[in-house]
């Protein structure tokens, strides 16, 4: 009987190691198993200072609860951080084959910024729409005033704002 060969996992070319994001990036990877197939992938987003100082050493101490399981070769990873800060994250990745054997754990370091959005500009709904090109109207169905009826349009206003973490290729929804 030939012994099982562990599977292999690697990151795809994007995002690159040491990238900084102002949004939740999609991280891509791939795996292979020479004597079977990859059953699933697991990843962990770690901000522990020990992992940041020595990611290779920390691989053996990743808590079981930190691993997120997926069958996909990519995922949107939120890399959570406090508003106004840049946080360093070590993103660990492994795969498991059909014999329940894990690959070697790979990692990349990412940085996440999180600036709060700019204060919104507000205008009354009936005022000019100049510079408010993204108007969205949501019908009001909750009438609470004594003098309302089914044809009363309710109070309306439009607002606009931007997020300083926006990039040319990625717009953050507000």
């Amino acid at each position: 009987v030939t012994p099982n060969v562990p599977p292999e996992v690697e990151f795809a070319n994007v995002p690159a190691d040491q990238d900084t994001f102002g949004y939740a990036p999609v991280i891509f990877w791939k795996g292979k198993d020479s004597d079977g197939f990859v059953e699933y992938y697991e990843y962990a987003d770690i901000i522990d200072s020990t992992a940041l100082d020595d990611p290779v050493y920390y691989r053996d101490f990743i808590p079981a609860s930190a691993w997120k399981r997926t069958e996909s070769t990519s995922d949107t990873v939120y890399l959570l951080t406090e508003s106004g800060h840049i946080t360093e994250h070590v993103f660990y990745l492994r795969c498991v084959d059909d014999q329940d054997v894990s690959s070697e754990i790979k990692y990349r370091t990412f940085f996440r910024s999180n600036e709060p959005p700019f204060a919104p500009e507000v205008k009354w709904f009936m005022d000019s729409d100049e510079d408010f090109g993204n108007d969205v109207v949501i019908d009001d169905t909750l009438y609470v005033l004594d003098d309302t009826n089914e044809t009363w349009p309710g109070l309306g206003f439009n607002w606009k704002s931007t997020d300083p973490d926006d990039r040319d290729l990625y717009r953050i929804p507000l």
Side-chain angles (χ1 to χ4, degrees), residues 63-164:
S65 62
W67 290 105
K68 293 186 178 23
R69 183 175 171 165
T70 182
E71 294 178 6
S72 177
T73 56
S74 67
D75 205 352
T76 301
V77 182
Y78 291 97
L79 302 175
L80 299 177
T81 190
E82 294 294 321
S83 178
H85 295 278
I86 295 178
T87 305
E88 183 177 359
H89 296 254
V90 180
F91 184 83
Y92 291 98
L93 175 67
R94 67 183 176 191
C95 66
V96 178
D97 71 7
D98 55 319
Q99 302 273 329
D100 204 31
V101 174
S102 294
S103 68
E104 178 183 333
I105 297 173
K106 303 288 181 81
Y107 73 92
R108 283 194 176 168
T109 302
F110 300 119
F111 298 89
R112 170 72 193 272
S113 66
N114 186 11
E115 295 298 323
F118 296 117
E121 297 176 33
V122 179
K123 76 167 188 73
W124 289 109
F125 180 71
M126 299 303 289
D127 289 350
S128 169
D129 284 342
E130 187 176 321
D131 296 327
F132 286 82
N134 294 325
D135 291 334
V136 176
V137 177
I138 299 173
D139 292 331
D140 184 357
T141 58
L142 303 174
Y143 299 113
V144 296
L145 300 174
D146 292 337
D147 297 331
T148 62
N149 60 47
E150 291 184 14
T151 61
W152 181 61
L155 298 175
F157 64 91
N158 290 340
W159 64 276
K160 70 175 182 174
S161 186
T162 57
D163 192 313

Side-chain angles (χ1 to χ4, degrees), residues 54-62 92 104-107:
D54 191 350
V56 174
Y57 171 77
Y58 192 81
R59 287 188 292 201
D60 295 333
F61 302 100
I62 300 170
Y92 291 98
E104 178 183 333
I105 297 173
K106 303 288 181 81
Y107 73 92

